[in-house]
Amino acid sequence: MSLNQKNQTYLKTLNITAAFLAAVMFVLFPACSGKDKKLAEAIAENDTLPSMKSLGVTTLISDSGITRYRIKAQKWLVFDKADTPYWEFPKGIYLEKFNMELEAEATVEADYAYYNEPAQRWTLRGNVKALNLQGEQFETPLLYWDQKEESVYSDSSIVIIREASIIQGIGFRSNQEMTQYTILRPTGVFPIKE
């Protein structure tokens, strides 16, 4: 091979290499530019994801080996890694409280429920209906149940349907069986025997 042919082969190889390097630089250099990239943020906190998700749940809850409650829910989320562990029932809940003879002494249902585990406090929202052992039905848009204090209360409107009357008011306080209650601001018509 002559010297001239060797120079031409060398120049062709050099041109191909230069073209290849230029193409690589055009592809890689924009990636290294200082422009902000749109990236999904990483989940930094474990409390934003439930540690348990259950669908179509029916479960019994016991205290000291005695069955105390039955819970039915379409969706149950447990966030036990949160700073304040809680349960959430975003699609509603139906709850029965049993006495020592395993008879339902009260029932509660709501469109949404939230349970603060350390405080043992329930927040029930949306079409809350509760039925006590005496057959009285309570209807309210918002209800709180403090298991530690063994009390039920609300600052919202309340309707209590009894056998012979309907009582209405704003706010009430009660024991957790909802058998001894006080309506804070009663309203409505009350039948009085002459």
Side-chain angles (χ1 to χ4, degrees), residues 37-111:
K37 300 295 177 205
K38 299 200 187 242
L39 300 174
E41 291 185 26
I43 297 173
E45 301 293 329
N46 284 338
D47 63 356
T48 59
L49 295 174
S51 57
M52 183 188 83
K53 176 182 174 182
S54 297
L55 303 174
V57 176
T58 299
T59 188
L60 299 172
I61 297 174
S62 63
D63 181 17
S64 303
I66 300 169
T67 301
R68 304 298 286 159
Y69 307 99
R70 177 183 7 226
I71 295 175
K72 294 181 181 180
Q74 288 182 23
K75 188 175 188 179
W76 181 2
L77 305 173
V78 176
F79 295 85
D80 60 358
K81 304 285 188 252
D83 291 338
T84 303
Y86 65 95
W87 302 347
E88 185 177 21
F89 301 85
K91 294 192 174 193
I93 189 171
Y94 176 79
L95 178 94
E96 289 178 305
K97 182 180 183 299
F98 297 113
N99 62 17
M100 297 301 279
E101 289 78 37
L102 294 179
E103 298 168 333
E105 63 182 12
T107 62
V108 178
E109 62 182 304
D111 293 341

Side-chain angles (χ1 to χ4, degrees), residues 1-178:
M1 192 188 262
S2 71
L3 186 59
N4 194 17
Q5 287 177 332
K6 284 183 182 181
N7 281 342
Q8 285 182 353
T9 305
Y10 176 74
L11 287 175
K12 283 183 187 178
T13 305
L14 188 60
N15 286 338
I16 291 172
T17 304
F20 177 74
L21 287 174
V24 168
M25 288 178 12
F26 283 122
V27 171
L28 293 182
F29 280 157
C32 297
S33 69
K35 294 181 183 176
D36 292 336
K37 300 295 177 205
K38 299 200 187 242
L39 300 174
E41 291 185 26
I43 297 173
E45 301 293 329
N46 284 338
D47 63 356
T48 59
L49 295 174
S51 57
M52 183 188 83
K53 176 182 174 182
S54 297
L55 303 174
V57 176
T58 299
T59 188
L60 299 172
I61 297 174
S62 63
D63 181 17
S64 303
I66 300 169
T67 301
R68 304 298 286 159
Y69 307 99
R70 177 183 7 226
I71 295 175
K72 294 181 181 180
Q74 288 182 23
K75 188 175 188 179
W76 181 2
L77 305 173
V78 176
F79 295 85
D80 60 358
K81 304 285 188 252
D83 291 338
T84 303
Y86 65 95
W87 302 347
E88 185 177 21
F89 301 85
K91 294 192 174 193
I93 189 171
Y94 176 79
L95 178 94
E96 289 178 305
K97 182 180 183 299
F98 297 113
N99 62 17
M100 297 301 279
E101 289 78 37
L102 294 179
E103 298 168 333
E105 63 182 12
T107 62
V108 178
E109 62 182 304
D111 293 341
Y112 172 87
Y114 175 92
Y115 177 66
N116 179 317
E117 203 171 349
Q120 295 182 357
R121 187 172 37 251
W122 289 86
T123 301
L124 304 163
R125 275 190 258 146
N127 298 313
V128 181
K129 294 179 183 172
L131 185 66
N132 68 10
L133 191 59
Q134 296 158 337
E136 297 172 319
Q137 182 167 321
F138 297 73
E139 297 178 0
T140 181
L142 178 64
L143 183 75
Y144 299 101
W145 174 20
D146 190 325
Q147 288 179 285
K148 281 185 179 177
E149 297 293 322
E150 298 184 353
S151 66
V152 176
Y153 57 95
S154 177
D155 293 328
S156 295
S157 62
I158 181 80
V159 175
I160 303 171
I161 302 169
R162 303 164 91 182
E163 188 176 313
S165 63
I166 296 175
I167 302 171
Q168 298 176 346
I170 306 294
F172 82 104
R173 304 236 176 254
S174 172
N175 62 346
Q176 70 180 1
E177 289 81 22
M178 299 180 81

